[in-house]
Amino acid sequence: MKLPYQFSTDIQPVEPYDFRLLLRDIDQYPLDVTERIAEDKLIRGFSTDSGPVQAAISENVGETLTIDIYSKESVSESLIARQIRHILNLDLDLEGWYDTVSADDPMQKIIQEFRGAKPIAKPSVFEGMATAILEQQLNVTFACTLETRLIKKYGTEICSDAGTSWLFPTPEQMAALDYEELRPLQISGSKSRYIIDIARQITAGEIDPESWHSLEDDEIMERLLAIRGIGQWTAEYVMLIGYRRFDHAPSADIGLRNAVTQLTGSEEQLSEKATREYMDRFAGYRGLATTYIWNAFSAGLLETSRSSP
């Protein structure tokens, strides 16, 4: 689907913000379909009520971002700006998080390396749910392989003068599948059932995860944990990438436990409980602390493995 150019708009992120760190992190992450880099631009597609949109995002002198928009139909500039701010967390104030870290905390060295880094969110909660389920009990490289297969098989390819990207499959697209259709992609039977069943519940109106954005954290967690296939680790991950709630660290994550073990200088790998106790010092921002630790791993600063339990 070739999308014509529509317009450009500028966005001012809340400082501190470092767009170069975002590009570096994406460049090191082995999923080059929904987000990709081309000529120092981030290319990201997403859906709107007017149809698919592709955004090419670049940094200007003065640290504003320019967004080039490609779409077949006319789209609202303010709507696009809100969507980009959502996906890139541009309104997130990092200073509160930095202030929770004491001067002698080993996390300081990571903050200094990644000052201005803001995590990427998924455009939809369903994409966050499906992503988290696919990544259960897998290392990040193979998880991204499965995600790429799923997206290219059932998602929507879009292209423009900025290049090609893909939209994650919608609940409607996934709900129409049989469980066995995902087996050739090497997606396990249980994960296939979890993702397709969630998609069917959404399309049938039995659950509406997008409407949960207005709820308190505890209530969202309760609703997530009531869904088959979503346990504690998955729910905490969805809170981070789907709902942009930054006080949730998936402390059962093996990579996070290994990293915190290194940060604290422990001779033995920390348990999930001990990892939670360390992350508690960043109360209010435990999820942000997690993303910074993952960034440190991607950059080779920590000898750990980013994978789920």
Side-chain angles (χ1 to χ4, degrees):
M1 179 182 297
K2 182 68 179 286
L3 304 178
Y5 173 80
Q6 290 287 340
F7 61 84
S8 294
T9 186
D10 288 345
I11 294 179
Q12 178 68 59
V14 172
E15 296 293 336
Y17 182 64
D18 194 327
F19 183 69
R20 293 167 299 175
L21 287 175
L22 172 67
L23 295 184
R24 186 174 78 173
D25 187 48
I26 292 174
D27 190 46
Q28 293 167 338
Y29 193 66
L31 182 66
D32 190 31
V33 280
T34 51
E35 297 110 11
R36 54 184 300 272
I37 300 170
E39 299 178 350
D40 293 328
K41 293 183 178 183
L42 169 62
I43 312 300
R44 216 318 173 176
F46 51 90
S47 297
T48 70
D49 291 341
S50 301
V53 169
Q54 189 182 65
I57 307 165
S58 58
E59 186 176 36
N60 297 318
V61 176
E63 299 180 339
T64 61
L65 300 180
T66 290
I67 320 296
D68 296 327
I69 298 301
Y70 301 85
S71 173
K72 279 197 170 182
E73 304 296 332
S74 176
V75 291
S76 163
E77 184 172 340
S78 61
L79 181 149
I80 295 299
R82 285 197 304 273
Q83 187 77 323
I84 297 298
R85 286 187 176 278
H86 173 98
I87 294 171
L88 301 187
N89 283 302
L90 296 181
D91 293 327
L92 176 62
D93 186 352
L94 295 171
E95 294 294 358
W97 141 237
Y98 296 152
D99 289 343
T100 68
V101 185
S102 62
D104 60 349
D105 193 295
M107 181 67 79
Q108 277 291 350
K109 64 180 181 182
I110 294 178
I111 288 177
Q112 296 309 312
E113 179 71 22
F114 297 100
R115 183 175 178 81
K118 298 185 180 183
I120 264 190
K122 299 300 182 183
S124 73
V125 176
F126 175 70
E127 182 173 340
M129 288 176 163
T131 297
I133 290 170
L134 286 170
E135 294 186 10
Q136 291 171 352
Q137 299 179 321
L138 296 177
N139 66 61
V140 68
T141 301
F142 186 57
C144 286
T145 297
L146 296 186
E147 291 171 47
T148 298
R149 291 172 183 170
L150 179 72
I151 292 165
K152 287 191 171 183
K153 179 70 174 178
Y154 299 110
T156 302
E157 182 180 15
I158 57 176
C159 62
S160 69
D161 290 341
T164 299
S165 57
W166 294 76
L167 302 181
F168 197 88
T170 65
E172 291 76 15
Q173 289 170 313
M174 295 304 300
L177 302 179
D178 293 326
Y179 301 139
E180 292 300 315
E181 291 185 64
L182 302 188
R183 189 173 294 278
L185 306 182
Q186 289 187 282
I187 298 174
S188 70
S190 58
K191 291 183 180 182
S192 299
R193 289 191 294 273
Y194 298 154
I195 293 171
I196 291 173
D197 283 351
I198 290 172
R200 289 174 178 173
Q201 290 176 60
I202 291 173
T203 56
E206 296 171 7
I207 61 172
D208 183 11
E210 292 294 343
S211 71
W212 301 349
H213 279 282
S214 61
L215 302 178
E216 297 295 327
D217 286 18
D218 289 347
E219 194 170 356
I220 298 176
M221 282 290 291
E222 182 179 351
R223 295 191 182 198
L224 288 173
L225 291 170
I227 297 173
R228 185 166 176 262
I230 296 183
Q232 187 71 25
W233 179 88
T234 306
E236 288 171 332
Y237 194 23
V238 173
M239 290 293 284
L240 184 60
I241 65 174
Y243 288 102
R244 304 187 303 147
R245 302 297 175 96
F246 299 110
D247 194 26
H248 294 268
S251 297
D253 186 272
I254 296 299
L256 181 60
R257 288 171 55 195
N258 289 343
V260 173
T261 298
Q262 291 184 50
L263 286 174
T264 58
S266 175
E267 295 182 358
E268 297 182 0
Q269 185 188 56
L270 295 184
S271 64
E272 178 182 347
K273 180 176 182 294
T275 301
R276 287 191 184 279
E277 289 173 352
Y278 174 79
M279 300 301 286
D280 283 346
R281 69 183 63 190
F282 311 121
Y285 303 96
R286 282 168 280 214
L288 272 180
T290 299
T291 64
Y292 271 57
I293 288 170
W294 283 340
N295 284 345
F297 161 66
S298 296
L301 301 183
L302 294 170
E303 298 175 0
T304 183
S305 174
R306 181 175 159 188
S307 62
S308 63

